[in-house]
Amino acid sequence: ITSILQNKSSNYDTDVFMPIIEEIQQKTNCKIPYQGKVGKDDVNGYAMAYRVVADHIRTLTFAITDGAAPDTQGRNYVARRICRRGVRYGQKLGGDVGFFKDLVNIVVKQMSEAFPEIKKRQDIVQGIIEDEERLFSRTLKQGKKRFEKKVEQLKKEGKTEIDGESACTL
């Protein structure tokens, strides 16, 4: 309804998401602005990345406010996946560790009048997201090192493919 009332082709192009998308561009220092076109018109996937980050920070802010926290089981595992996917797409835009938790501010600014609980728990939400960002960053660095070591080993053996067991481990 919002996109129809605002004569926009997508919810992401409305006043619900555009302030978040603008903040994403600032926090990531992405030189490519949001164009609003996805699919074949989104040549390098930047519009999709903006949308994923915007959607995921909103979702995660509300989920953590409601008691979820990134972890390994149930709804908490879903929260972890949402956080990590948002962080990963943000990295595509140039975001460093910590950018994702900073986006909570714009969500709170936009939504706290209708949902005052997110303002009350803002620091807690940011702390939880920050911890998960750091954990994920460390996991990615370790995984990248293992991958590079495996590739080097395969090159020495004259191989060009990673076996299934190694792929699962990586």
Side-chain angles (χ1 to χ4, degrees):
I1 292 173
T2 302
S3 61
I4 293 168
L5 291 173
Q6 294 180 18
N7 199 27
K8 303 291 183 179
S9 60
S10 165
N11 288 337
Y12 294 99
D13 299 328
T14 68
D15 64 357
V16 173
F17 281 97
M18 283 309 297
I20 299 171
I21 289 171
E22 290 165 2
E23 188 74 7
I24 292 166
Q25 186 172 7
Q26 285 184 343
K27 295 292 182 192
T28 61
N29 294 312
C30 187
K31 304 295 182 226
I32 299 170
Y34 174 72
Q35 299 293 317
K37 296 175 182 170
V38 294
K40 66 180 186 226
D41 294 328
D42 186 18
V43 178
N44 293 311
Y46 285 97
M48 179 63 76
Y50 277 111
R51 288 178 174 196
V52 168
V53 175
D55 179 68
H56 286 28
I57 195 59
R58 278 174 39 108
T59 300
L60 204 55
T61 299
F62 284 103
I64 294 171
T65 297
D66 285 342
D71 206 342
T72 58
Q73 297 196 350
R75 75 176 183 164
N76 293 335
Y77 183 69
V78 174
R80 170 171 278 168
R81 299 295 302 148
I82 290 169
C83 185
R84 290 180 175 199
R85 186 169 187 256
V87 168
R88 190 77 182 108
Y89 270 91
Q91 289 174 341
K92 176 183 178 75
L93 297 171
D96 293 323
V97 176
F99 88 94
F100 200 57
K101 69 141 172 77
D102 290 340
L103 295 173
V104 171
N105 295 330
I106 189 67
V107 175
V108 169
K109 182 179 177 184
Q110 267 197 290
M111 305 301 292
S112 63
E113 189 175 324
F115 302 97
E117 193 64 26
I118 65 172
K119 178 78 171 151
K120 293 177 192 169
R121 295 184 48 89
Q122 180 175 353
D123 291 340
I124 293 167
V125 171
Q126 286 181 298
I128 289 170
I129 292 173
E130 181 178 28
D131 289 347
E132 185 61 25
E133 274 186 276
R134 288 177 198 258
L135 178 63
F136 184 48
S137 175
R138 189 170 58 239
T139 300
L140 282 177
K141 284 178 187 174
Q142 290 171 349
K144 185 176 178 183
K145 284 180 187 175
R146 286 181 183 177
F147 176 76
E148 289 168 353
K149 186 176 177 181
K150 185 65 177 177
V151 167
E152 194 60 39
Q153 176 190 347
L154 290 172
K155 283 182 182 178
K156 287 178 183 174
E157 295 172 1
K159 297 179 181 177
T160 59
E161 292 182 2
I162 295 176
D163 60 282
E165 184 179 328
S166 296
C168 285
T169 302
L170 292 170

